[in-house]
Amino acid sequence: MGERKFVNPYHFISFPKTKAPGYTDEDRHTGMIRYTITTKTPLFIPNSSSDTAFKFEEAEKVRTEKQYHKSYDFFSYTELDEKENYEGKFYVPVVPGSEMRGVIRSVYETLTDSCMGVLNEDEYPIKRTAEAFQPALLYRKKGKTGEKMVLYDAYSFRIGEKAEETTAEETKLPPGFEECKNGTEIYYRKSAADGKKGWKAISEYSIGNDGKKEEYSNSGYLLKWGMGLKKGRYHVFTQKIKNERKNTISKDKVERELFRVIDSYLEQPAVSPENKKAYEEYRNNLSEFLKGEAGEYFPVTYSLISNSILYLAPAIFSKEVSNNSVGTLAGVFSPCKKNHCPACQLFGYIGENNEASSGSKIRFTDLYVSEQSKKGKPEDYYLCDRITLETLGGPKLGNVDFYLKRPKHATFWTYDYYVQNGVVKEAPGQLRGRKYYWHHQDVHLPENVKASVLNKTVRPVKDEVSFTGKIYFEGISGTQLNQLIWILNSGTENLGFKLGSGKPLGLGSISCNVDLVQERIIKLEKGVLSYETDESKTEKISELDYENVGFSESVKDEFYKIARFDTIPKGVQITYPRTEEQKDGPLEEGYRWFVANHGGTKMKNKRIEMKIIEPLPDITKETQFPALGLSYEVVDIQPEKQNEEKNQKGKKGQNTGKGKNDNREKKHEEKFTNNPFADLCFSEDGTLQVKKEERKNTKRKK
C-alpha cells in the first residue's frame, strides 16, 4: 500500500537568484515566423459564446439558483446561440492566437529569468485554519485624524432557542431574531453557570423594540453568522470589562480580510441558497457598519500571533487571510514597474499609472488546421461528441503543502509564519516558483462522470491534429529572435507545452515546430526604398541550441524535466492527491488527502499542534520523477460507545436494536452539508473533527 505512488499534476520551476536585466543589443530584425503545433493529447479551448452548448437532461437536474452545469464546444469562428443544442453539430476548430501568446510568454519569462507578467500580485492568499479564533467587537472611533477601528476582546454567550434539526437540503435558523441584523444590540439577563459549556444559553433578553430593555443590566451585539450546523444557536458578543485587549486596526485591513473570507465562501460553486443568504447578510451588515450606517460596535473574531500578525474572521472556526500579498512574496519576480526584464521588452508592459508603457514587438495570428491534418468532415477532428470532465478548480493557494517551500525543520508553515519545535515563528512564506503541468503519456478520461455545478462538459480535439499559425515580429534583436525560434521549435527535442483547459487531466499537451523564418530586408538604392524577404534563417534553425541562444542555466534542468513528454513513465498515475481508497475512478472529495496530510480527521485547535506530513517532493532530487505516496487513509469518526458496541458485535455475532439506532445517528451527523463549517464538527467528547460521507464498502482492499 505504502509503495504505491502518484504524481501531482503540477510542479514548479524554481526562481533564479535574481531577475535578469533587459537586453541592450542594438541590432533590429523584422519579419515573420510560421510554425506548427501538434496535439499530443486531446486539446480543449472553449467557444465562450455559449456555456450551454450541450443541453441534456443531466444538466437540467443540477440547475440551481443562478448556478447550472456548463457545457462548451471547442473554439471556432461560429457564434453559438445559447438557446440551441449543438450535440451532433460540428465546426472546424481554430486555436486563438491569444492562447499561444500566453503560453509562449510564460515559457520565455522562465527561460530568460524575467518577471511573471500576468501574476495576480494584489491577491492575498487565504487558507482554512484549525486555530480557534477569539470573540471580539470592532469599534468605530472618531479622532482628529479621522475614523479608526479599535478591536476589543469580548465574551461570547449563546442566546435564544436552538434551531431545528438541519439537513443537507435546508437550513433551519433559531427563532425570534428574524428582524435582527448582525450587530443588533441585545439587552439581556446573564444566565447561570453551566459546568460543561461555561454559561447556559441566555433566555431572558430584549431586542429593544418591546419596551423591556430597561429591565436588563447587560448588553451585547448579535452574531448570526455560522448557521447551518445542527441545533445551533445565535451568539451575543459582550465587551470584556477586565483584561480587555485594544488593537487599532485600519479600515483597509478590516475590509480586505473580512470581505475576502466571506467572498471565499460565496465563491463556492455549490453554496446552498440558505447559506448564501447568511453570507450576504453578514457582508451587507458589515458594509453598513463600516460606512457608519449602523451602530458603533460590530461582532467579529480574531487570532493574534504577534504585534504584526493579527487575523480577522467572521466566525470562531474559519479562514485566515495572509498579511503578505502574492506580489510581495514574489519579490523582484512580480510584474516589472521599472528596470524592465527581457520578457517585458519583447511582449510589452504598462508602467505605473499607465506611464512609460511599451507595446508588444510580436503579434500572434490565430492557428488553423494544417494542410496535412485536414479531414473530410469537421467531426473528424474531435475526440468525441461531448464528455463530462472531473471537477477542476482554479489555483488553490491555500494548499501551502505544495505552493510553499518547507522552512528548515518546520512541522507546519503558511504565507506568514511557520511552526518549529512547538514554537510559532513569524516569517514570509517562500513561493516554490513558476507553476507548470506534467505531460501525460496516457490520457484516459472517465466516461461515467456525472454532470454537476462543479464540473463541465466539453468537446475536445483529438491528439495528432496539427494547426499552423504565424508570429510577426518588428524591431527585435537577434538574441530575441533566436530565443523565439528555439522555443517554437522545441518539439525537435521532445519538449512540449500545455495549452487550453483540463491540464491536470492530461489535456492540452502540444509540440511546436518552426516551418519558416522570413526576415524583411530594407534597401535604399538610388534614393528609392525597397525591401525583400530573406529566408536564410530557416536553414540555420538546427544550429540553435539552449545555450547559444542565451537562456538561463539555473532553470535548464527543471525546465527540461517538466517539459519533456516522457518524464513521467507510462502507468504512473498523474492525479490530484488521493487517499488509498480513492486511487481508482473519478476523484471526489479532493480534500481528504490534505486532511490526512495534516494529521488526520482529529484536527487540532492550536497552531503549534498543526502539521504537514508530506510536502511536494523536490523536483530535482528524485532520479526519475517527484512522486507522493498513496499511504494515507481517512479514519472513520466513531464515538467510544459505538466502538464498544462494534466489539460486542464481534464477540456475540449480532447487534442490538440500540446499536442500529446509534449507527443511524452517526450517519446523520456525518452527512456533508454545505455551510460555513461544513467540513468541521464536534464529537461527543468535544474534539474538533472533520466530517466525512458515509461510504459503502468501507473495507480497504488488501
Side-chain angles (χ1 to χ4, degrees):
M1 175 188 69
E3 296 179 355
R4 183 181 173 93
K5 299 284 186 178
F6 69 88
V7 174
N8 194 56
Y10 60 84
H11 214 293
F12 300 85
I13 294 179
S14 304
F15 293 123
K17 291 182 178 179
T18 185
K19 183 180 70 174
Y23 297 142
T24 57
D25 308 34
E26 295 183 357
D27 60 316
R28 294 293 177 261
H29 301 262
T30 298
M32 178 273 295
I33 303 172
R34 190 179 73 224
Y35 66 103
T36 297
I37 67 170
T38 302
T39 58
K40 295 302 181 182
T41 64
L43 169 69
F44 178 69
I45 300 171
N47 184 336
S48 57
S49 59
S50 173
D51 61 7
T52 55
F54 310 115
K55 294 179 170 59
F56 50 100
E57 185 179 356
E58 296 96 317
E60 296 303 318
K61 287 182 179 179
V62 298
R63 187 178 293 273
T64 64
E65 182 184 0
K66 295 183 180 180
Q67 296 180 354
Y68 52 92
H69 177 77
K70 296 182 179 180
S71 57
Y72 298 92
D73 194 4
F74 194 92
F75 184 83
S76 69
Y77 287 153
T78 302
E79 187 76 14
L80 304 182
D81 187 340
E82 292 184 353
K83 298 180 180 179
E84 188 171 346
N85 184 357
Y86 289 91
E87 187 173 357
K89 300 177 183 179
F90 297 85
Y91 304 96
V92 177
V94 177
V95 174
S98 58
E99 290 283 332
M100 280 304 300
R101 176 186 173 85
V103 171
I104 301 304
R105 172 160 188 160
S106 178
V107 173
Y108 191 87
E109 288 174 351
T110 302
L111 301 186
T112 58
D113 293 345
S114 293
C115 75
M116 295 186 286
V118 295
L119 183 72
N120 189 0
E121 58 183 320
D122 294 327
E123 180 174 0
Y124 288 80
I126 181 172
K127 67 178 297 298
R128 179 174 288 283
T129 178
E131 179 86 4
F133 280 45
Q134 302 301 312
L137 287 169
L138 271 179
Y139 172 64
R140 263 196 340 272
K141 183 179 181 180
K142 296 180 179 180
K144 295 181 179 179
T145 59
E147 197 170 67
K148 297 180 180 180
M149 297 290 157
V150 180
L151 192 70
Y152 289 96
D153 274 343
Y155 294 110
S156 175
F157 299 115
R158 295 170 298 140
I159 190 169
E161 300 177 24
K162 290 181 179 179
E164 297 180 22
E165 291 190 8
T166 61
T167 66
E169 290 74 28
E170 61 178 344
T171 302
K172 299 291 185 181
L173 303 179
F177 299 94
E178 291 79 7
E179 303 301 321
C180 295
K181 299 180 179 180
N182 289 284
T184 297
E185 189 168 9
I186 305 292
Y187 307 88
Y188 65 90
R189 179 171 289 111
K190 195 172 182 180
S191 299
D194 184 334
K196 294 182 179 180
K197 297 183 178 180
W199 299 94
K200 292 182 179 180
I202 295 170
S203 59
E204 298 181 63
Y205 60 88
S206 168
I207 59 176
N209 59 357
D210 55 5
K212 296 182 179 180
K213 67 178 185 180
E214 289 78 10
E215 299 178 12
Y216 305 113
S217 57
N218 299 295
S219 68
Y221 300 87
L222 183 67
L223 178 69
K224 301 171 69 175
W225 182 259
M227 290 303 100
L229 295 176
K230 181 182 177 183
K231 297 181 179 178
R233 282 189 170 93
Y234 288 144
H235 283 241
V236 61
F237 281 20
T238 301
Q239 184 179 342
K240 289 185 178 180
I241 303 300
K242 296 181 180 180
N243 301 320
E244 69 179 26
R245 180 188 300 279
K246 284 187 178 182
N247 291 87
T248 301
I249 303 173
S250 70
K251 185 177 179 181
D252 288 343
K253 178 179 176 66
V254 174
E255 293 176 335
R256 175 172 62 80
E257 295 196 12
L258 286 175
F259 286 147
R260 179 70 183 91
V261 173
I262 299 166
D263 290 343
S264 72
Y265 288 119
L266 285 169
E267 290 164 3
Q268 296 177 108
V271 60
S272 70
E274 291 83 1
N275 286 310
K276 183 180 179 182
K277 292 177 182 177
Y279 305 146
E280 290 176 341
E281 181 182 14
Y282 187 91
R283 198 184 200 288
N284 292 337
N285 297 160
L286 173 61
S287 180
E288 291 172 356
F289 166 76
L290 294 174
K291 292 177 182 178
E293 298 172 358
E296 294 180 317
Y297 291 89
F298 195 82
V300 297
T301 64
Y302 78 96
S303 181
L304 183 68
I305 292 183
S306 67
N307 290 333
S308 59
I309 300 182
L310 182 147
Y311 298 115
L312 295 175
I316 298 296
F317 295 103
S318 186
K319 302 179 181 181
E320 58 188 34
V321 179
S322 171
N323 280 6
N324 295 297
S325 69
V326 172
T328 299
L329 295 168
V332 295
F333 296 101
S334 59
C336 294
K337 301 296 188 297
K338 55 183 180 179
N339 301 325
H340 295 93
C341 64
C344 286
Q345 284 183 329
L346 183 61
F347 288 86
Y349 57 84
I350 299 176
E352 289 187 273
N353 301 319
N354 295 325
E355 297 176 355
S357 300
S358 175
S360 176
K361 296 178 181 178
I362 55 178
R363 177 173 62 86
F364 289 74
T365 69
D366 291 344
L367 291 86
Y368 307 101
V369 175
S370 65
E371 290 295 328
Q372 296 84 351
S373 289
K374 282 189 176 178
K375 310 291 184 182
K377 300 177 181 179
E379 53 262 40
D380 294 337
Y381 298 112
Y382 294 96
L383 177 69
C384 56
D385 189 2
R386 69 177 193 192
I387 187 167
T388 301
L389 303 179
E390 296 178 51
T391 300
L392 296 174
K396 296 180 173 58
L397 297 178
N399 292 341
V400 294
D401 320 41
F402 293 173
Y403 277 84
L404 296 181
K405 295 180 181 179
R406 181 206 287 266
K408 190 175 182 179
H409 304 310
T411 52
F412 185 78
W413 56 93
T414 74
Y415 292 92
D416 295 333
Y417 61 88
Y418 64 94
V419 178
Q420 184 185 83
N421 297 325
V423 178
V424 177
K425 298 187 177 183
E426 181 181 344
Q430 289 185 287
L431 298 178
R432 278 187 170 268
R434 308 174 200 260
K435 186 176 179 180
Y436 278 78
Y437 287 87
W438 297 105
H439 294 293
H440 298 222
Q441 293 199 58
D442 294 308
V443 176
H444 300 289
L445 299 175
E447 297 181 357
N448 58 344
V449 178
K450 294 182 179 180
S452 73
V453 297
L454 301 176
N455 58 19
K456 60 186 177 184
T457 296
V458 303
R459 175 182 284 163
V461 165
K462 62 186 179 183
D463 58 344
E464 298 304 326
V465 176
S466 296
F467 298 83
T468 299
K470 297 178 181 179
I471 295 178
Y472 291 93
F473 55 92
E474 182 175 1
I476 68 176
S477 69
T479 298
Q480 292 171 323
L481 176 56
N482 289 337
Q483 290 173 339
L484 271 178
I485 292 173
W486 187 92
I487 291 173
L488 292 167
N489 200 48
S490 57
T492 59
E493 294 195 39
N494 198 34
L495 304 177
F497 311 129
K498 282 284 198 173
L499 181 68
S501 303
K503 299 180 185 71
L505 305 178
L507 302 185
S509 291
I510 61 167
S511 66
C512 281
N513 296 88
V514 172
D515 304 317
L516 176 68
V517 179
Q518 286 184 339
E519 281 197 69
R520 187 177 67 187
I521 308 298
I522 300 176
K523 293 184 176 182
L524 177 62
E525 295 181 351
K526 297 180 180 180
V528 178
L529 282 174
S530 64
Y531 72 89
E532 60 184 38
T533 56
D534 179 6
E535 299 181 1
S536 60
K537 194 80 172 179
T538 305
E539 300 174 359
K540 299 179 180 179
I541 291 176
S542 60
E543 299 176 8
L544 301 178
D545 59 34
Y546 188 95
E547 284 76 15
N548 67 25
V549 299
F551 282 144
S552 170
E553 282 299 314
S554 68
V555 303
K556 180 181 178 181
D557 290 344
E558 294 180 11
F559 175 76
Y560 268 79
K561 191 166 191 176
I562 204 163
R564 284 185 64 87
F565 287 112
D566 57 1
T567 296
I568 309 300
K570 290 184 178 181
V572 173
Q573 192 175 24
I574 303 176
T575 176
Y576 282 126
R578 298 167 179 256
T579 65
E580 181 73 14
E581 294 174 339
Q582 298 174 311
K583 63 185 179 183
D584 299 313
L587 178 62
E588 299 177 353
E589 299 178 335
Y591 64 88
R592 291 197 178 281
W593 185 89
F594 289 97
V595 169
N597 199 39
H598 291 176
T601 55
K602 290 189 176 181
M603 295 182 68
K604 312 300 181 182
N605 62 0
K606 292 184 181 298
R607 289 187 176 90
I608 59 173
E609 298 174 343
M610 297 166 66
K611 59 184 176 181
I612 295 174
I613 298 172
E614 189 171 8
L616 193 66
D618 190 282
I619 192 173
T620 58
K621 289 185 178 180
E622 293 280 347
T623 56
Q624 289 183 314
F625 53 91
L628 288 154
L630 268 174
S631 57
Y632 296 128
E633 176 185 14
V634 177
V635 181
D636 286 341
I637 302 171
Q638 293 187 346
E640 293 181 4
K641 180 180 284 188
Q642 290 181 2
N643 286 331
E644 293 176 2
E645 290 174 358
K646 185 175 181 181
N647 294 334
Q648 291 297 323
K649 178 181 177 181
K651 293 179 181 179
K652 299 180 181 180
Q654 60 183 7
N655 204 346
T656 64
K658 185 178 184 298
K660 292 179 181 179
N661 290 335
D662 284 346
N663 287 334
R664 284 195 296 270
E665 179 67 11
K666 172 179 176 287
K667 182 174 182 179
H668 175 80
E669 289 185 357
E670 291 183 353
K671 186 172 181 61
F672 185 91
T673 59
N674 186 11
N675 58 66
F677 317 107
D679 51 353
L680 301 178
C681 67
F682 289 92
S683 64
E684 291 185 354
D685 62 1
T687 304
L688 178 65
Q689 299 177 329
V690 176
K691 291 195 262 186
K692 64 188 291 291
E693 289 274 14
E694 191 77 4
R695 293 194 298 269
K696 296 180 181 180
N697 301 323
T698 54
K699 293 184 178 180
R700 300 177 59 201
K701 296 179 181 180
K702 300 290 184 181

